[in-house]
Amino acid sequence: MAIFDVSGYKKYCELREQILPAGLTHLVDRTNHYNFGTKTQEFAVPPGVDPSGFLKSCNHDGGVCIEMNHGTTTLAFKFKHGVIVAVDSRASAGNYLASKDANKVIEINSYLLGTMSGSAADCQHWERLLAKECRLYRLRNNHRISVAAASKLLSNMMLGYRGMGLSMGSMICGWDKQGPGLYYVDDNGTRLSGRMFSTGCGNSYAYGVVDSGYREDMTVEEAYELGRRGITHATHRDAYSGGVVNMYHMREDGWIKVCKDDVSELIHRYRKGIASLISV
Amino acid sequence: MALQDICNFQSVFEDRLTTEYPAVPHGKKIPSNYVSGLPFSNNKSLFHFYIPVAEYLDESPIQFGQISTVQNCSAVSSEDPFLTSSSLPTCLPFASSQSVPLPFPMAHGTTTLAFMFQGGVMAAADTRSSCSGLVACPASQKILPIHSHLVGLTSGTSADCALWKRILARELRLYQLRHGRRLSTSGAAKLLSHMLHPFKGTELCVAATLCGWDGGEQKNFVDSTNAKVSLAKDERFSFSQQCSIRKKMNLSGPRLFYVCSDGTRLRGMLFSVGSGSPYAYSILDQGVHWGLTVDEAKSIAREAVYRATYRDAYSGNCVDMYHITSKGWTRRNREDLKEEYYREKERRKHEKTERRDVAFSD
């Protein structure tokens, strides 16, 4: 950090490295169980453990099949009046439904939202860490972090553990000085800015609906309806998505939670309604 | 089964076994009997596929890694030349044990869809044939008419689909000649499914959707000109009531079946097959219902294929549409979707400039 450079502060482990002779580097204090997460954003791993090597052996050729599926549907799109974020609420563990009411949107602060898909534990941990970093940034620099910077922080965290088995597909949505912002961040370290994203195994169904109905100049109500429809039709066809639609609207003055509608009621309404619709 | 008797199912296999495997004591490769090796040279050779036997493959400079277990199989079969058809599966692997491993991986990518509505069956498909990363043919035909009132959509390996469609067409024509009436769509689906069953577990990949109209010309069922009149009548009933009504008059009308080479045979109102199918499904779920007019059905089918080609890399190029009614199938002109992409791009650009103008004027 800048202030460390200015004040000549050296990290404790650097000092120890200088004291001890070269051959005794194993005595240098590494991140361990007691101090991880406080000084550095590292996980303590016993020396000799190689997570990425282990994971490489656990693939189809080796006979083991660890499938990291993102069993969910989340979508977000930018339009004239901000960003709409819609997610389902089903948490599955293989074939078992762990929860029908999971919260897949993390409210980082009043103008930043993060969605979660993939491993629930990974998403929750890293996005809460991101929330901590965003707060620290605000306190140190006296202005809000931009959406691009927040997504970059998350992407760098993912890159630090690349190949070690993280599973996270997240969209960082917010409103900063450049206007509405939407970034997709992946466990591979992918970071993409875009106008519309959908993640999870139900994403293809949501893409069809939102691509078809999207217009830049939609009204707010139309955008809400489009988000709801995208998630509803995805939950209708995808086995790993379901529950309720949690929808947020990111506006210039912060986000609001729009609705929490049960998808089975929504799909019933849509199926019954299309017979009497003249044009969608 | 009656269907088997009609098509001489059993006798085909018995004949094949007796003629094709004369006792060969030594381990020489059996040269295939050239006369019977021609595909479908006589009516008994329904499954007499000409297998390009290993002679030239051995000498080929490109070693595809052919497996030469011919000797073992021939030894086994020579001891028991009169195998009954019940032990057929042990013989068919003979054919596939000489399979040539593919020199490059094949991927099955397409978008095909079909749905039933009051005006018949609407079928649509894209026209891209892909071979892993290569677009092998941008103008292939995935909707193959089988006869005047039956159309099949193909997904899977193009060669397998084309072949099996032709076999099915031949069998349906024979049935029609022998019995003086067309086989129902349900019967055609059953026939296809039974013909594909012996190949279960091999690399055959056929996922076909059969769309047809059973029965003669119906005056009760509407055609496009009377769409509006009966639409009002249909709308009085709810969706589930309509289903039960349709079940009562199930002797004739539109039919939709999905047949897959792993043995699935499903009847339904709406199917979409292929790598682009999730994108198409969400559009179809939004808009398809029994009371659609023909024009609405066409535009929904077209929009669904367009959205699938928009997002899926293995679908694209043009869209074909067929409409099956009591009078038979009609084909809409093939439409190139790149026009639609450009139109949509123009629209988005237009919206963006409008928005900018509004922002400036504020």
Side-chain angles (χ1 to χ4, degrees):
Chain A
M1 251 192 299
I3 194 162
F4 283 169
D5 294 336
V6 166
S7 60
Y9 173 85
K10 283 197 174 64
K11 284 206 278 210
Y12 181 63
C13 50
E14 277 177 37
L15 282 172
R16 289 273 287 175
E17 272 171 10
Q18 283 168 358
I19 296 166
L20 292 170
L24 295 172
T25 45
H26 63 277
L27 293 176
V28 171
D29 282 342
R30 307 154 59 90
T31 315
N32 61 32
H33 182 68
Y34 299 103
N35 66 8
F36 79 89
T38 55
K39 298 220 189 298
T40 51
Q41 309 293 356
E42 282 171 10
F43 275 122
V45 157
V49 168
D50 179 20
S52 35
F54 166 71
L55 272 174
K56 278 198 191 86
S57 64
C58 300
N59 53 18
H60 276 269
D61 303 331
V64 179
C65 188
I66 299 182
E67 279 189 15
M68 311 278 205
N69 288 331
H70 298 205
T72 185
T73 311
T74 69
L75 67 88
F77 57 87
K78 277 198 274 200
F79 72 118
K80 192 161 90 169
H81 302 284
V83 189
I84 297 287
V85 178
V87 302
D88 75 313
S89 70
R90 178 172 286 187
S92 51
N95 297 335
Y96 168 67
L97 291 192
S99 166
K100 64 176 174 16
D101 210 0
N103 190 9
K104 298 187 189 180
V105 174
I106 178 167
E107 299 151 7
I108 296 171
N109 55 42
S110 63
Y111 55 92
L112 265 183
L113 288 173
T115 66
M116 309 187 210
S117 76
S119 155
D122 285 337
C123 289
Q124 281 180 351
H125 175 267
W126 291 104
E127 297 200 17
R128 284 183 191 163
L129 204 55
L130 177 67
K132 183 189 95 164
E133 289 299 318
C134 292
R135 179 69 181 143
L136 284 175
Y137 183 96
R138 168 77 178 83
L139 289 170
R140 287 172 184 144
N141 303 54
N142 218 13
H143 66 268
R144 290 171 176 175
I145 192 170
S146 64
V147 185
S151 59
K152 192 89 179 188
L153 278 174
L154 185 61
S155 153
N156 287 338
M157 292 178 205
M158 292 296 113
L159 283 168
Y161 290 90
R162 192 179 146 102
M164 296 192 197
L166 288 183
S167 165
M168 188 200 80
S170 156
M171 296 184 290
I172 306 296
C173 327
W175 195 302
D176 57 18
K177 294 193 186 77
Q178 276 89 26
L182 176 58
Y183 285 82
Y184 167 71
V185 179
D186 205 326
D187 50 273
N188 295 322
T190 311
R191 173 177 164 268
L192 299 167
S193 166
R195 198 191 60 194
M196 185 236 161
F197 289 109
S198 175
T199 68
C201 55
N203 69 351
S204 37
Y205 305 101
Y207 272 128
V209 171
V210 180
D211 281 340
S212 175
Y214 179 87
R215 282 182 352 265
E216 180 85 25
D217 57 352
M218 280 189 288
T219 66
V220 173
E221 278 305 320
E222 285 172 352
Y224 290 168
E225 191 57 23
L226 190 63
R228 235 178 261 133
R229 272 183 180 269
I231 298 290
T232 307
H233 286 291
T235 58
H236 181 58
R237 286 283 175 184
D238 180 31
Y240 293 103
S241 307
V244 298
V245 180
N246 282 313
M247 185 147 60
Y248 290 73
H249 178 196
M250 177 65 66
R251 301 189 302 203
E252 190 160 8
D253 52 355
W255 55 261
I256 54 162
K257 179 144 187 196
V258 175
C259 70
K260 190 181 162 114
D261 294 332
D262 190 321
V263 294
S264 31
E265 281 172 32
L266 281 175
I267 194 77
H268 188 66
R269 200 195 323 156
Y270 293 146
R271 304 291 279 181
K272 212 164 62 150
I274 49 178
S276 53
L277 276 174
I278 301 163
S279 64
V280 180
Chain B
M1 228 186 311
L3 223 43
Q4 278 185 340
D5 293 334
I6 287 162
C7 308
N8 299 321
F9 204 75
Q10 309 253 359
S11 56
V12 160
F13 289 112
E14 282 165 18
D15 284 343
R16 179 188 184 216
L17 296 170
T18 50
T19 57
E20 206 169 45
Y21 308 140
V24 175
H26 48 82
K28 221 199 245 174
K29 296 188 177 52
I30 300 173
S32 70
N33 187 349
Y34 197 69
V35 170
S36 64
L38 283 175
F40 319 122
S41 56
N42 52 25
N43 66 343
K44 291 182 184 138
S45 62
L46 177 66
F47 289 103
H48 255 176
F49 293 117
Y50 173 55
I51 302 155
V53 184
E55 297 113 354
Y56 70 84
L57 284 180
D58 259 356
E59 289 132 23
S60 161
I62 310 165
Q63 291 297 320
F64 285 122
Q66 54 274 19
I67 313 154
S68 57
T69 53
V70 179
Q71 299 93 322
N72 304 334
C73 273
S74 70
V76 165
S77 57
S78 65
E79 290 156 15
D80 200 0
F82 295 101
L83 291 169
T84 60
S85 59
S86 58
S87 59
L88 177 65
T90 59
C91 262
L92 273 178
F94 169 82
S96 60
S97 70
Q98 281 191 303
S99 67
V100 174
L102 303 168
F104 44 80
M106 308 258 199
H108 311 305
T110 185
T111 308
T112 67
L113 59 94
F115 57 88
M116 273 169 45
F117 67 111
Q118 52 82 19
V121 187
M122 183 65 66
D126 73 313
T127 61
R128 177 176 286 186
S129 279
S130 57
C131 203
S132 215
L134 167 74
V135 175
C137 176
S140 55
Q141 227 193 344
K142 300 190 190 177
I143 311 190
L144 305 169
I146 298 176
H147 62 68
S148 64
H149 285 71
L150 181 61
V151 143
L153 286 83
T154 64
S155 167
T157 320
S158 317
D160 288 332
C161 289
L163 175 69
W164 284 101
K165 278 289 150 53
R166 288 177 64 108
I167 295 178
L168 183 66
R170 190 190 75 137
E171 290 304 314
L172 293 184
R173 179 68 181 142
L174 284 174
Y175 182 94
Q176 190 180 2
L177 289 171
R178 285 173 188 143
H179 299 267
R181 64 177 182 89
R182 279 200 303 265
L183 187 56
S184 65
T185 315
S186 169
K190 199 150 207 167
L191 183 58
L192 183 62
S193 154
H194 286 178
M195 289 197 290
L196 291 176
H197 181 73
F199 298 94
K200 191 174 159 85
T202 65
E203 280 165 16
L204 185 71
C205 181
V206 173
T209 313
L210 297 176
C211 326
W213 187 288
D214 294 343
E217 296 225 358
Q218 287 293 318
K219 293 193 185 73
N220 309 334
F221 269 101
V222 294
D223 52 29
S224 49
T225 53
N226 296 335
K228 289 292 181 193
V229 171
S230 69
L231 194 65
K233 196 170 136 192
D234 276 341
E235 271 180 324
R236 271 192 279 127
F237 302 106
S238 74
F239 199 67
S240 54
Q241 279 176 312
Q242 285 173 3
C243 286
S244 55
I245 287 171
R246 274 195 298 284
K247 276 195 181 91
K248 285 180 204 146
M249 33 188 192
N250 63 359
L251 289 176
S252 60
R255 287 286 179 277
L256 189 54
F257 279 87
Y258 169 69
V259 179
C260 188
S261 53
D262 60 9
T264 315
R265 175 180 164 268
L266 298 171
R267 179 177 161 179
M269 305 273 298
L270 165 75
F271 284 110
S272 173
V273 187
S275 58
S277 65
Y279 309 100
Y281 264 129
S282 51
I283 305 287
L284 295 171
D285 282 343
Q286 271 191 309
V288 167
H289 58 104
W290 184 256
L292 285 172
T293 63
V294 175
D295 289 326
E296 282 172 357
K298 280 189 178 145
S299 76
I300 281 192
R302 188 175 156 280
E303 177 74 7
V305 175
Y306 172 63
R307 285 297 154 201
T309 61
Y310 187 74
R311 285 283 175 185
D312 182 32
Y314 295 113
S315 311
N317 299 104
C318 310
V319 58
D320 275 338
M321 280 211 291
Y322 279 65
H323 178 211
I324 300 105
T325 56
S326 61
K327 296 190 178 69
W329 55 260
T330 51
R331 183 175 178 227
R332 192 166 160 271
N333 276 337
R334 178 171 278 197
E335 184 191 339
D336 195 338
L337 283 174
K338 81 171 174 233
E339 310 294 325
E340 186 61 35
Y341 296 139
Y342 290 135
R343 252 179 277 149
E344 188 169 350
K345 207 165 138 191
E346 282 302 311
R347 223 183 311 141
R348 300 254 184 263
K349 222 193 301 178
H350 188 61
E351 284 167 13
K352 260 206 160 72
T353 53
E354 263 187 13
R355 187 179 148 203
R356 224 177 297 135
D357 294 337
V358 167
F360 282 139
S361 67
D362 279 347

